Amino acid sequence: MEQQCWITTEPLEIEEVTKRVIRREAGAVNTFIGTVREFTKGKRTLFLQYETYKEMAEKKLEQITKEIDQQWPSAEVAIAHRIGRLEITDIAVIIAVSTPHRNDSYEASRYAIERIKEIVPIWKKEYWEDGEEWIGDQKEVRPGVPLKEEIK
């Protein structure tokens, strides 16, 4: 079986992620694609740099798929997140969810992206025309990049 959750430095391909959840009993496939936007809070972004503790991040992505399985037992989920330097419009994350009916697919997809921002150790540094800053975690509530030893 192919890996359902992964972190990579390579550009993400939508079909590579969605093909992992397509199945005969699924009447809905929802794909969330998170991209790098040019403006954040009125500042022009030049590019982003994502970093992670890869082993822990992949474990946390797997945890999210298990949580989804508990709430939506008929869901099949695949998640890919890119790290490294990403340019404007590059794809940072792809979440694909298949379910027999569309509502569960939408709900599980939304749940996945919110949980990624809450628990997956991925940090971003924003580069602007007038400077740069580590934003911290993806919910932007913890500044800076913690040491690997701080992640438990």
Side-chain angles (χ1 to χ4, degrees), residues 2 4 14-31 74-78 96-99:
E2 290 183 286
Q4 295 296 96
I14 299 164
E15 187 175 351
E16 175 67 21
V17 181
T18 57
K19 74 178 185 179
R20 296 173 192 231
V21 301
I22 293 174
R23 56 207 164 103
R24 296 172 69 91
E25 62 274 16
V29 176
N30 185 303
T31 306
S74 64
E76 187 70 33
V77 181
V97 179
S98 69
T99 58

Side-chain angles (χ1 to χ4, degrees), residues 82-99:
R82 186 171 170 199
I83 58 171
R85 180 179 169 139
L86 279 73
E87 304 297 332
I88 304 304
T89 73
D90 280 354
I91 298 173
V93 62
I94 300 173
I95 301 165
V97 179
S98 69
T99 58

Side-chain angles (χ1 to χ4, degrees), residues 100-117:
H101 304 283
R102 69 180 170 270
N103 192 51
D104 287 346
S105 183
Y106 282 119
E107 288 180 7
S109 178
R110 176 68 183 256
Y111 180 87
I113 191 61
E114 297 304 329
R115 287 296 281 159
I116 288 169
K117 289 178 173 285

Side-chain angles (χ1 to χ4, degrees), residues 37-67:
R37 66 181 168 264
E38 184 174 14
F39 288 93
T40 303
K41 298 177 184 173
K43 287 181 121 174
R44 184 172 181 257
T45 303
L46 301 176
F47 64 92
L48 298 180
Q49 179 76 30
Y50 283 98
E51 293 195 12
T52 188
Y53 175 21
K54 184 177 179 183
E55 295 81 10
M56 177 63 77
E58 287 179 340
K59 285 181 185 177
K60 291 296 187 178
L61 292 175
E62 290 292 340
Q63 175 186 329
I64 292 166
T65 65
K66 289 176 183 163
E67 291 173 7

